[in-house]
């Protein structure tokens, strides 16, 4: 049995939806929203932060964990991660020996890790930056993507925000891990978008942006960008930030589309903060075309469309999060409120968040 897109029973009945980017399914059980909650109550930490914290390893002029001192930076600041997860040049490590590689496979890994401080101010996450300041972060993402993409196959720009997401330092910052291999998630998105392009002649995410514009899953939109709760969202308030024009990589965003992106990022993060009246935690990151095709003289990766995923953990309040445990770990992700209900709640806040 299949449900149609406009079927009102989708909001009442348990059903599954498929993520076209990954092929994975999510179980949607809207009726579970009414269940009582007697589980973990995560305490938020509302203690106000100082504008400058001399003990913070990321503040201007402060000492990093290595003893090195940060410059007295006044805008965005980017540096090599002192504790990189990947490092070195391709072929630096010999492949691990395995007598049975079909069961016990290993590969050498090389790459570069960088840290981006969004602002000199310790107490101003993206939601409290001006659009002009966010535009500097975008320029930095683009510059880093260009430079690292010239040397590495994949450039992952991301941010872990908030203790709940394992962020180690409250100073507003993101990270970049560039690698010479294409990580699993991207390998899957690459294949799925390529197949869609071949069979339908359009980039999957362009088709989705056109369809979702001004629809029930739209959170906000401006002339160049669109934010939706994807039809297949797994996290309660997960969103997808999409361009409303064709663009494959961060460094290929034209200068004319950057102010609108800054505005969309500001609007979205402010709206998130308003949802549960807290500094809203999330992991976010950019996905775009890998860099290998271009450098190896391959076809332009037109099946790709640049996009950013936002994965926030919160479910009901600043302290009650969604756990991806039991069934999610062992079978498939499950959500209670429908993506349309989540989008409606976020949409209501976008007008008041400015
Ligand atoms: P997270 O908060 O998302 O973990 O990012 C902080 C990163 O900053 C982390 O990868 C790096 C950590 O290695 N870091 C430094 O490079 N130098 C420091 O002095 C502190 C933290
Ligand atoms: Zn700081």
């Amino acid at each position: 049995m299949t449900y149609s897109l406009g079927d009102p029973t989708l909001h009442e009945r348990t059903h599954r939806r498929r993520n076209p980017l990954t092929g994975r399914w999510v179980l949607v059980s809207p009726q579970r929203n009414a269940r009582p909650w007697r589980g973990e109550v995560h305490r938020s930490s509302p203690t106000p932060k100082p504008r400058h914290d001399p003990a913070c390893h990321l503040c201007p002029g402060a000492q990093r964990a290595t003893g090195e001192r940060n410059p007295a930076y006044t805008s965005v600041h980017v540096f090599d991660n002192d504790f990189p997860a990947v490092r070195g040049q391709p072929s630096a490590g010999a492949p691990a020996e395995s007598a049975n590689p079909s069961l016990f496979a290993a590969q050498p890994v090389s790459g570069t890790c960088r840290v981006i401080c969004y602002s000199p101010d310790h107490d101003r996450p993206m939601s409290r930056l001006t659009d002009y300041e966010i535009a500097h972060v975008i320029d930095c993402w683009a510059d880093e993507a260009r430079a690292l993409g010239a040397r590495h196959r994949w450039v992952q720009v991301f941010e872990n925000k908030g203790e709940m997401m394992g962020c180690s330092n409250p100073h507003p910052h993101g990270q970049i891990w560039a690698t010479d291999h294409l990580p699993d998630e991207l390998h899957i998105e690459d294949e799925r978008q390529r197949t869609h392009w071949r069979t339908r002649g359009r980039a999957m995410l362009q088709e989705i942006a056109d369809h979702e514009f001004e629809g029930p899953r739209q959170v906000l939109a401006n002339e160049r960008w669109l934010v939706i709760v994807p039809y297949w969202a797994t996290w309660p308030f997960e969103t997808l930030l999409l361009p409303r024009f064709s663009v494959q990589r961060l460094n290929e965003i034209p200068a004319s589309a950057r102010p609108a992106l800054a505005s969309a990022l500001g609007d979205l993060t402010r709206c998130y903060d308003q949802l549960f009246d807290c500094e809203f935690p999330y992991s976010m990151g950019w996905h775009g075309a890998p860099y290998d095709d271009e450098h190896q003289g391959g076809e332009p990766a037109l099946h790709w469309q640049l996009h950013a995923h936002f994965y926030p953990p919160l479910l009901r309040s600043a302290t009650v999060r969604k756990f991806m445990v039991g069934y999610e770990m062992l079978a498939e992700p499950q959500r209670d409120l429908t993506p349309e209900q989540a989008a409606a709640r976020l949409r209501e806040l976008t007008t008041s968040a400015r």
Side-chain angles (χ1 to χ4, degrees):
M1 171 171 184
T2 53
Y3 295 119
S4 80
L5 257 180
D7 192 336
T9 59
L10 277 189
H11 302 288
E12 289 151 26
R13 292 198 213 159
T14 298
H15 60 278
R16 296 166 85 210
R17 300 187 187 191
R18 194 186 61 199
N19 180 341
L21 273 172
T22 61
R24 295 181 199 122
W25 290 82
V26 54
L27 179 69
V28 185
S29 338
Q31 75 288 355
R32 265 182 34 113
N33 245 341
R35 80 189 197 284
W37 178 261
R38 296 194 57 195
E40 186 212 49
V41 177
H42 192 283
R43 302 265 163 244
S44 64
S45 45
T47 339
K49 292 189 208 106
R51 177 116 316 173
H52 179 88
D53 178 357
C56 163
H57 292 312
L58 303 183
C59 267
Q63 217 169 30
R64 294 222 298 277
T66 51
E68 193 180 329
R69 205 164 273 288
N70 291 324
Y73 65 93
T74 55
S75 177
V76 178
H77 174 57
V78 53
F79 63 92
D80 283 333
N81 196 313
D82 298 313
F83 309 96
V86 288
R87 64 169 102 196
Q89 296 301 312
S91 80
E97 286 293 322
S98 169
N100 192 347
S102 65
L103 291 182
F104 305 105
Q107 280 182 344
V109 172
S110 54
T112 304
C113 292
R114 310 260 287 157
V115 179
I116 306 181
C117 300
Y118 292 170
S119 152
D121 296 338
H122 187 80
D123 61 341
R124 291 170 67 227
M126 191 171 275
S127 57
R128 298 206 195 112
L129 298 182
T130 63
D131 286 1
Y132 181 76
E133 289 169 313
I134 299 175
H136 283 300
V137 176
I138 297 167
D139 290 343
C140 178
W141 284 338
D143 293 346
E144 290 292 314
R146 179 180 295 105
L148 292 166
R151 293 193 278 130
H152 300 294
R153 186 173 181 201
W154 177 248
V155 182
Q156 183 59 61
V157 172
F158 67 99
E159 175 184 358
N160 287 325
K161 181 161 170 281
E163 276 172 39
M164 211 184 260
M165 292 311 287
C167 180
S168 63
N169 186 310
H171 195 106
H173 70 281
Q175 297 195 49
I176 309 176
W177 295 14
T179 54
D180 298 309
H181 70 281
L182 194 60
D184 265 3
E185 195 73 8
L186 287 311
H187 182 73
I188 295 165
E189 286 197 7
D190 184 54
E191 291 282 310
R192 305 269 319 175
Q193 289 178 99
R194 194 187 301 277
T195 304
H196 187 93
W197 170 263
R198 284 195 185 133
T199 52
R200 294 175 64 110
R202 279 202 79 193
M204 176 195 287
L205 290 177
Q206 271 186 278
E207 214 175 310
I208 286 172
D210 285 355
H211 184 275
E212 298 294 273
F213 182 61
E214 294 189 340
R217 287 172 292 274
Q218 175 174 309
V219 174
L220 59 93
N222 62 35
E223 66 282 12
R224 309 304 295 274
W225 300 86
L226 173 68
V227 177
I228 57 172
V229 176
Y231 180 73
W232 56 87
T234 57
W235 293 94
F237 293 96
E238 174 179 337
T239 54
L240 184 64
L241 170 57
L242 292 169
R244 296 180 57 204
F245 55 98
S246 171
V247 59
Q248 282 69 51
R249 299 178 178 91
L250 266 175
N251 52 292
E252 293 165 8
I253 303 173
S256 61
R258 292 186 190 187
L261 175 55
S263 156
L265 284 166
D267 287 347
L268 175 61
T269 51
R270 282 187 291 271
C271 156
Y272 269 155
D273 282 2
Q274 288 224 335
L275 180 64
F276 297 130
D277 192 21
C278 65
E279 225 181 73
F280 201 72
Y282 55 73
S283 276
M284 70 79 68
W286 286 96
H287 284 168
Y291 286 86
D292 49 350
D293 290 349
E294 216 175 50
H295 299 301
Q296 290 164 11
E299 293 167 22
L302 291 176
H303 58 290
W304 265 96
Q305 179 73 330
L306 176 72
H307 58 277
H309 297 279
F310 280 77
Y311 298 128
L314 294 179
L315 172 63
R316 288 161 180 250
S317 70
T319 55
V320 177
R321 56 166 296 160
K322 164 73 183 173
F323 285 100
M324 291 286 182
V325 289
Y327 191 81
E328 283 89 349
M329 282 177 162
L330 291 150
E332 67 189 16
Q334 179 272 343
R335 62 178 294 127
D336 294 345
L337 81 170
T338 64
E340 294 73 23
Q341 290 164 337
R345 287 191 60 187
L346 291 170
R347 199 164 50 236
E348 265 170 33
L349 298 166
T350 52
T351 40
S352 53
R354 282 238 107 186

